[in-house]
Amino acid sequence: MAIRAYILINTQIGQTQKVVEELKKLPEVKKIDIIMGPYDIIVEVEVSTYEDLSHILLNQIQNISAINHTMTCPVVE
Amino acid sequence: MAIRAYILINTQIGQTQKVVEELKKLPEVKKIDIIMGPYDIIVEVEVSTYEDLSHILLNQIQNISAINHTMTCPVVE
Amino acid sequence: MAIRAYILINTQIGQTQKVVEELKKLPEVKKIDIIMGPYDIIVEVEVSTYEDLSHILLNQIQNISAINHTMTCPVVE
Amino acid sequence: MAIRAYILINTQIGQTQKVVEELKKLPEVKKIDIIMGPYDIIVEVEVSTYEDLSHILLNQIQNISAINHTMTCPVVE
Amino acid sequence: MAIRAYILINTQIGQTQKVVEELKKLPEVKKIDIIMGPYDIIVEVEVSTYEDLSHILLNQIQNISAINHTMTCPVVE
Amino acid sequence: MAIRAYILINTQIGQTQKVVEELKKLPEVKKIDIIMGPYDIIVEVEVSTYEDLSHILLNQIQNISAINHTMTCPVVE
Amino acid sequence: MAIRAYILINTQIGQTQKVVEELKKLPEVKKIDIIMGPYDIIVEVEVSTYEDLSHILLNQIQNISAINHTMTCPVVE
Amino acid sequence: MAIRAYILINTQIGQTQKVVEELKKLPEVKKIDIIMGPYDIIVEVEVSTYEDLSHILLNQIQNISAINHTMTCPVVE
């Protein structure tokens, strides 16, 4: 059973589109939208295992330098 | 051009699934997920005009009594 | 010199328009808008003295029962 | 591999100890502390599968009526 | 050495002054102010031991029914 | 029908007035106030279309380097 | 009538004591405490006029470079 | 009687594991977990006196440069 999560991202000012380009390179990222409100970007990811979710957060998304803060909201199946 | 928005919803405790059932009745609601983190539900809506977005918020979603708080994040096209 | 402040208001679900009607009765309220995002209503008030600002908050706005939370942001002149 | 998560809980005023008693009944709850700061209680849960985490949130913890809000923070392995 | 803490309090709408009256009855409460911004009341308490701080929070302040939320910020000596 | 929005802005420390000067250059900005509370500046913008709102956010306001964070609250008509 | 306000301050990591030393130089600052919780420092200021409150915020406190964020909560008299 | 506290930590992007390594060097730190949600790391500390809690916060944890923000939640005994 796939595990899905939404990640709410705040970027450095003026870097939103650059971060979107970086996120597009990740195959686990199924959807990206730039949004208004307290967050800049909302991403939907889908992975196979819980460890994969940890991996993409720690070793891929957190390596995009123009990101200020990420908040991961796993989907409750 | 359609206007899309994500709505982050907090429900009264124990009422999350009931709110999901109510939301499913709205044709503008394209996707609903129950999530972990500071919000209980994330909804993706799609409408034709900006006034429609106002309408669905004020006259439909805000009438679901078991909702405590909604935060609308329109998508930046 | 007049003192101005913005008040960000969260209402009980479904009560936003009712709160707007109550706020319209207050002469110090110069502008009211229903908004998207983490707040439901934004109000701009203008008073003559700092005590008047305290008064309208404590004795008028806080008496509108369908309000859940208010956050007052005085304008820095 | 067990899945662990911290759950940050806000209770209705004066109901913190009552909520603690309810939480103690859940075998998945390994640790409970009442804390100062923006949250009232912090709970550590341990489950076998991701679905179990969903289950305990939706069908057990969310049924403790004196809880106002829960925020689940799954542990990244 | 006395232990001091600030407690930031949100009250039910229209109940701020009533909560202030209740707080004034507690000898550990050294100062009370009604404030603008995201909180309604700020209280400064002083106790002799860390257990006393726990006690006044759980068994006294949390029993004032018109309070919605408290956030305790102990002073770092 | 014009679309209006309030934008709540946090600036780098000591840069509030400099950001105000930059914002004044944008014709869509109808009103700017420096405020107390959790935000530093509140701006009211008015545009003709929803795409214009996206444009001014992404390509103009987000390019003011001394801004730390923006939160856009579109007005519900 | 004096105007009082509490200012909740977040500092850059490791700079809390340095910021306290800077704040101590301001005669309007009547009390400073380092605290636990979501804020690092709480300051109580007292000024004669509303304009003075604006002045000390914009031209003095906001010039302390090691501050990340300030939130001013004027006291309601 | 030992004093325990949870510390919720936000790190600079991509620095979470580095901060964990620094925290492991502190004997007062009994448990560290990287988590999803609005915080990056949760730490449980145990000290003998209230002053020790102040000391470890101000002089040790706040000196880990890759930390953006800490929120200390002392346990209510």
Side-chain angles (χ1 to χ4, degrees):
Chain A
M1 190 204 75
I3 293 183
R4 294 187 302 121
Y6 290 87
I7 305 175
L8 298 163
I9 296 176
N10 288 99
T11 72
Q12 288 162 21
I13 201 77
Q15 300 291 300
T16 302
Q17 280 150 317
K18 190 186 137 197
V19 169
V20 166
E21 294 316 311
E22 292 292 310
L23 290 166
K24 280 180 182 170
K25 297 173 188 168
L26 304 177
E28 299 87 348
V29 169
K30 303 306 177 190
K31 194 168 186 182
I32 309 176
D33 274 317
I34 298 176
I35 53 176
M36 299 178 206
Y39 310 103
D40 300 309
I41 298 171
I42 185 167
V43 170
E44 198 185 324
V45 297
E46 189 172 311
V47 292
S48 314
T49 69
Y50 188 77
E51 292 70 28
D52 293 344
L53 184 55
S54 300
H55 170 70
I56 185 175
L57 288 176
L58 267 191
N59 306 320
Q60 292 180 295
I61 290 182
Q62 290 249 344
N63 284 344
I64 301 174
S65 62
I67 287 178
N68 268 344
H69 183 255
T70 64
M71 178 153 75
T72 304
C73 304
V75 172
V76 173
E77 295 308 334
Chain B
M1 191 202 77
I3 293 183
R4 294 185 305 121
Y6 291 88
I7 305 174
L8 298 164
I9 296 174
N10 287 97
T11 71
Q12 289 163 19
I13 200 78
Q15 300 293 301
T16 303
Q17 281 151 314
K18 190 187 137 194
V19 170
V20 167
E21 293 315 310
E22 293 292 311
L23 290 165
K24 280 180 183 170
K25 298 173 188 169
L26 305 176
E28 298 88 349
V29 169
K30 303 305 178 190
K31 194 168 184 180
I32 310 175
D33 274 318
I34 299 175
I35 53 176
M36 300 178 207
Y39 310 104
D40 300 310
I41 298 172
I42 185 167
V43 170
E44 197 185 325
V45 298
E46 188 173 312
V47 292
S48 312
T49 68
Y50 188 77
E51 293 71 27
D52 292 342
L53 184 55
S54 300
H55 171 71
I56 186 175
L57 288 176
L58 267 191
N59 307 322
Q60 291 181 296
I61 291 183
Q62 288 250 343
N63 284 344
I64 301 175
S65 62
I67 287 179
N68 268 346
H69 183 253
T70 64
M71 177 150 77
T72 305
C73 304
V75 173
V76 172
E77 296 308 333
Chain C
M1 191 202 77
I3 292 184
R4 294 186 303 120
Y6 291 87
I7 304 173
L8 299 162
I9 296 174
N10 288 98
T11 71
Q12 289 164 18
I13 201 77
Q15 301 292 300
T16 303
Q17 281 152 314
K18 190 187 140 195
V19 170
V20 166
E21 293 315 310
E22 292 292 312
L23 290 165
K24 280 180 182 169
K25 298 173 187 169
L26 305 177
E28 298 87 349
V29 169
K30 305 303 178 190
K31 195 169 185 177
I32 310 175
D33 275 317
I34 299 176
I35 53 176
M36 299 178 206
Y39 311 105
D40 299 309
I41 298 171
I42 185 166
V43 170
E44 197 186 324
V45 298
E46 187 173 312
V47 292
S48 312
T49 68
Y50 188 77
E51 292 70 26
D52 292 344
L53 185 55
S54 300
H55 171 71
I56 186 175
L57 288 175
L58 268 189
N59 307 320
Q60 291 182 296
I61 290 182
Q62 289 250 344
N63 284 342
I64 300 174
S65 63
I67 287 179
N68 268 345
H69 184 255
T70 65
M71 179 152 75
T72 304
C73 304
V75 173
V76 173
E77 296 308 333
Chain D
M1 191 203 77
I3 293 184
R4 293 186 303 120
Y6 292 88
I7 304 174
L8 299 164
I9 296 174
N10 288 97
T11 71
Q12 288 163 20
I13 201 77
Q15 300 292 301
T16 303
Q17 281 151 315
K18 191 187 138 194
V19 170
V20 167
E21 293 316 311
E22 293 291 310
L23 290 165
K24 281 181 182 170
K25 298 173 187 170
L26 304 177
E28 299 88 348
V29 169
K30 304 305 178 191
K31 194 168 183 180
I32 310 176
D33 275 318
I34 298 176
I35 53 177
M36 299 179 207
Y39 310 105
D40 300 310
I41 299 172
I42 186 167
V43 170
E44 198 186 325
V45 298
E46 188 172 311
V47 291
S48 312
T49 69
Y50 188 76
E51 292 70 24
D52 292 342
L53 184 55
S54 299
H55 170 69
I56 186 175
L57 289 176
L58 267 189
N59 306 319
Q60 291 182 293
I61 291 183
Q62 289 249 343
N63 284 342
I64 300 175
S65 62
I67 287 179
N68 268 343
H69 184 254
T70 65
M71 178 151 76
T72 305
C73 304
V75 172
V76 172
E77 295 309 334
Chain E
M1 192 201 77
I3 292 183
R4 294 186 304 119
Y6 291 88
I7 304 174
L8 299 162
I9 295 174
N10 287 98
T11 72
Q12 288 164 19
I13 200 77
Q15 300 292 300
T16 303
Q17 280 151 316
K18 190 188 139 193
V19 170
V20 167
E21 294 316 309
E22 292 292 312
L23 290 165
K24 280 181 183 169
K25 298 173 187 170
L26 305 177
E28 298 88 348
V29 169
K30 305 304 178 190
K31 195 168 183 180
I32 310 175
D33 275 316
I34 299 176
I35 53 176
M36 300 178 205
Y39 310 104
D40 300 309
I41 298 172
I42 185 167
V43 170
E44 198 186 325
V45 297
E46 188 173 311
V47 291
S48 312
T49 69
Y50 187 77
E51 292 71 25
D52 293 341
L53 184 56
S54 299
H55 171 70
I56 186 176
L57 288 176
L58 268 190
N59 307 318
Q60 291 181 294
I61 290 182
Q62 288 249 342
N63 284 341
I64 301 174
S65 63
I67 288 179
N68 268 345
H69 184 255
T70 64
M71 178 152 77
T72 304
C73 304
V75 173
V76 172
E77 296 307 334
Chain F
M1 191 202 78
I3 293 184
R4 294 187 300 122
Y6 291 87
I7 304 174
L8 299 163
I9 295 175
N10 289 98
T11 71
Q12 288 163 22
I13 201 78
Q15 301 292 300
T16 301
Q17 280 151 316
K18 190 186 139 196
V19 170
V20 167
E21 294 314 311
E22 292 292 310
L23 290 165
K24 280 181 183 169
K25 297 172 188 170
L26 304 176
E28 299 88 349
V29 169
K30 303 304 178 191
K31 194 169 185 179
I32 309 175
D33 276 318
I34 297 175
I35 53 175
M36 299 178 206
Y39 311 103
D40 299 310
I41 298 171
I42 185 167
V43 170
E44 198 185 324
V45 297
E46 188 172 311
V47 292
S48 314
T49 68
Y50 188 77
E51 292 71 25
D52 293 343
L53 184 55
S54 300
H55 170 70
I56 186 174
L57 288 176
L58 267 190
N59 307 322
Q60 292 181 294
I61 290 181
Q62 290 249 345
N63 285 344
I64 301 174
S65 63
I67 287 179
N68 269 345
H69 183 255
T70 64
M71 178 152 76
T72 305
C73 304
V75 173
V76 172
E77 296 308 334
Chain G
M1 190 203 76
I3 292 183
R4 294 186 302 121
Y6 291 87
I7 304 175
L8 300 162
I9 296 176
N10 289 98
T11 71
Q12 288 163 19
I13 202 78
Q15 301 292 301
T16 302
Q17 279 149 319
K18 190 187 138 196
V19 169
V20 167
E21 293 317 310
E22 293 291 312
L23 289 166
K24 280 181 183 168
K25 297 172 189 168
L26 304 177
E28 299 88 349
V29 169
K30 304 304 178 191
K31 194 169 185 177
I32 309 176
D33 275 317
I34 297 175
I35 54 175
M36 300 178 205
Y39 311 104
D40 300 311
I41 299 171
I42 185 167
V43 171
E44 200 186 322
V45 298
E46 190 173 309
V47 292
S48 313
T49 69
Y50 187 76
E51 292 71 27
D52 293 342
L53 184 55
S54 300
H55 170 71
I56 185 175
L57 288 176
L58 267 190
N59 307 320
Q60 292 181 295
I61 290 183
Q62 290 249 343
N63 285 343
I64 301 175
S65 63
I67 288 178
N68 269 344
H69 183 255
T70 64
M71 177 152 76
T72 305
C73 304
V75 172
V76 172
E77 295 307 335
Chain H
M1 191 204 76
I3 292 184
R4 295 186 302 121
Y6 291 86
I7 304 174
L8 299 163
I9 297 175
N10 288 97
T11 71
Q12 288 162 23
I13 201 79
Q15 301 292 302
T16 303
Q17 279 148 319
K18 189 186 139 197
V19 169
V20 167
E21 294 316 310
E22 292 293 310
L23 290 165
K24 280 181 182 169
K25 297 172 187 169
L26 305 177
E28 298 89 348
V29 168
K30 303 305 177 191
K31 193 169 186 179
I32 309 175
D33 275 317
I34 298 175
I35 53 175
M36 299 178 205
Y39 310 104
D40 300 312
I41 297 171
I42 185 166
V43 170
E44 200 186 323
V45 297
E46 189 173 310
V47 291
S48 314
T49 68
Y50 187 76
E51 291 70 27
D52 293 342
L53 184 56
S54 299
H55 170 70
I56 186 175
L57 287 176
L58 267 190
N59 306 319
Q60 293 181 295
I61 291 183
Q62 290 249 344
N63 284 342
I64 301 175
S65 63
I67 287 179
N68 268 344
H69 183 255
T70 64
M71 179 153 76
T72 304
C73 304
V75 172
V76 172
E77 296 306 335

